[in-house]
Amino acid sequence: MSLIKEDLQLLLLNFCEPESELLQRIDRETNLKVLMPRMLSGHYQGRVLSMLSKLITPKRILEIGTFTGYATLCMAEGLARDGIIYTLDKNMELEDRVRGYFAVSPYHSQIKYIMGDATQTINDLNETFDLVFIDADKKNNGTYYDLIFDRVRPGGLIIVDNVLWSGKVLTLQQDRDTVNISTFNDKVAGDDRVEKLILPVRDGLFIIRKK
């Protein structure tokens, strides 16, 4: 899924912080035991998410799309001492596995793992967020963006994953998923309430800062 050549990717890994033992375990077990392991953020993107979180020391993080919890734990590294990360998912088949990972992490008391349809469970959260990471069903990127926008503080970050879609956003004949992603990218590009840029990290990270 990465847009960067494998040899360069390996070089980049040599110049970033190592994974914790728990993150290594999640990566290994996800690739061995979970369907669609490519959905995992992985080492390099995880370090990017960790760095961005640490730069703003968020008190409240919202993650839409937990998968096996790798990115959750990376962003939790930057939480303020009294911070909380809410992570929303609806894949009940992974729930026990993910809760097990969270339980043995140093951030277990700061993670609120909520099961259900995120378009509904977001409305149950009475919080203002410093950081939001959207990495769920791509057709709803725009819906999630609209749902959380007023809940993000000025200066807060919204990060959206997979916005380059393996380079398919460059093709003229686009399938439905690619159209959805391109439409969302255009939506953000035209939003004058935010500053934005896309980082070519793995499959494309849209970094959006609310003015």
Side-chain angles (χ1 to χ4, degrees):
M1 188 177 291
S2 175
L3 299 172
I4 297 176
K5 292 181 179 179
E6 185 175 353
D7 55 352
L8 182 55
Q9 187 69 38
L10 290 173
L11 183 145
L12 293 175
L13 291 175
N14 288 331
F15 290 92
C16 71
E17 294 297 299
E19 297 170 294
S20 67
E21 289 186 8
L22 177 56
L23 291 176
Q24 290 178 28
R25 175 188 163 195
I26 294 172
D27 190 319
R28 181 175 63 254
E29 292 181 358
T30 299
N31 278 282
L32 288 174
K33 301 176 181 180
V34 178
L35 291 175
M36 299 180 71
R38 65 183 181 277
M39 292 170 58
L40 186 90
S41 286
H43 185 178
Y44 187 72
Q45 179 168 304
R47 291 306 87 205
V48 172
L49 294 173
S50 172
M51 180 70 78
L52 291 171
S53 182
K54 288 173 180 175
L55 287 172
I56 62 174
T57 317
K59 289 190 174 182
R60 294 293 184 270
I61 301 174
L62 173 62
E63 178 184 39
I64 303 172
T66 312
F67 192 44
T68 52
Y70 189 102
T72 317
L73 295 176
C74 292
M75 291 184 290
E77 294 173 14
L79 278 170
R81 187 180 298 273
D82 58 346
I84 295 173
I85 180 167
Y86 294 88
T87 183
L88 314 180
D89 207 289
K90 63 180 181 180
N91 189 341
M92 299 185 71
E93 292 182 2
L94 292 175
E95 182 178 4
D96 289 346
R97 175 181 298 278
V98 175
R99 289 196 187 278
Y101 293 145
F102 290 164
V104 296
S105 81
Y107 313 104
H108 62 90
S109 64
Q110 296 175 280
I111 300 172
K112 307 297 182 185
Y113 181 36
I114 300 170
M115 300 301 296
D117 184 338
T119 61
Q120 303 300 316
T121 55
I122 286 171
N123 295 320
D124 298 329
L125 303 178
N126 185 24
E127 298 279 12
T128 298
F129 295 102
D130 307 290
L131 173 61
V132 176
F133 182 45
I134 300 174
D135 187 16
D137 52 320
K138 308 310 170 188
K139 67 181 180 182
N140 277 318
N141 278 351
T143 300
Y144 298 135
Y145 183 81
D146 291 337
L147 282 171
I148 58 89
F149 193 86
D150 290 340
R151 302 165 187 257
V152 177
R153 68 165 173 84
L157 294 181
I158 303 167
I159 304 173
V160 185
D161 199 8
N162 304 112
V163 294
L164 297 179
W165 208 234
S166 300
K168 292 180 183 178
V169 291
L170 291 173
T171 61
L172 296 177
Q173 305 243 344
Q174 298 186 352
D175 58 28
R176 182 175 300 177
D177 287 338
T178 309
V179 168
N180 287 333
I181 290 168
S182 294
T183 299
F184 173 74
N185 292 348
D186 290 340
K187 175 187 178 79
V188 175
D191 191 346
D192 61 7
R193 301 171 299 172
V194 298
E195 301 170 73
K196 55 273 185 179
L197 61 84
I198 293 177
L199 296 180
V201 172
R202 192 164 165 267
D203 197 29
L205 284 178
F206 219 144
I207 313 298
I208 305 159
R209 180 181 180 273
K210 185 174 178 179
K211 294 180 181 177

